[in-house]
Amino acid sequence: DPPVGTAPPPSRPTASERGPGAGAGRNVPIPQLVTELRELVVAYVKQETLVPLKSLGRWVGFGLGGSLLLGFGVVFLAMSGLRALQDETGDTFTGNWSWVPYLIVVFALGLGAALVWVLRAARKAEKGTA
């Protein structure tokens, strides 16, 4: 009898309990091993590369779509501002002054771009220090 408070030693599983091909004497043909290795490598590559790339592709697609829509919006807004300056200011920008609405719109676009640039740099700096 084992001493009190100790568990009996674990019994070793028999060959039938371990399953087919278990143990050091496993005789598996080399072509089958190569096939299993190939399947394992293909599954690993799919898991680690293709699935993340598909997810990344979706984000890139949404980013490009959003950029195009935002770009069209800015262009249309600039054109409407130009048209408003040309039509709604009466005779102010006629004759030799017809170029001024274009200058105002280009200046406004540059100001908007500078604002976006500054805000982007501030956000990047905030993320870098946090």
Side-chain angles (χ1 to χ4, degrees), residues 10-97:
S11 62
R12 296 185 62 152
T14 63
S16 62
E17 291 173 339
R18 288 188 298 233
R26 183 176 177 189
N27 293 330
V28 179
I30 291 181
Q32 182 180 350
L33 287 175
V34 170
T35 304
E36 289 176 4
L37 177 64
R38 182 185 161 278
E39 291 171 358
L40 182 67
V41 168
V42 167
Y44 177 78
V45 167
K46 283 182 182 178
Q47 174 187 346
E48 296 297 323
T49 59
L50 295 180
V51 173
L53 282 177
K54 286 179 184 177
S55 176
L56 180 67
R58 185 182 65 209
W59 284 104
V60 168
F62 282 131
L64 286 175
S67 297
L68 283 173
L69 290 176
L70 193 62
F72 282 129
V74 168
V75 168
F76 288 142
L77 189 64
M79 287 173 46
S80 66
L82 176 64
R83 189 70 172 168
L85 283 172
Q86 289 173 336
D87 287 346
E88 301 301 325
T89 56
D91 292 337
T92 306
F93 298 121
T94 57
N96 290 336
W97 290 95

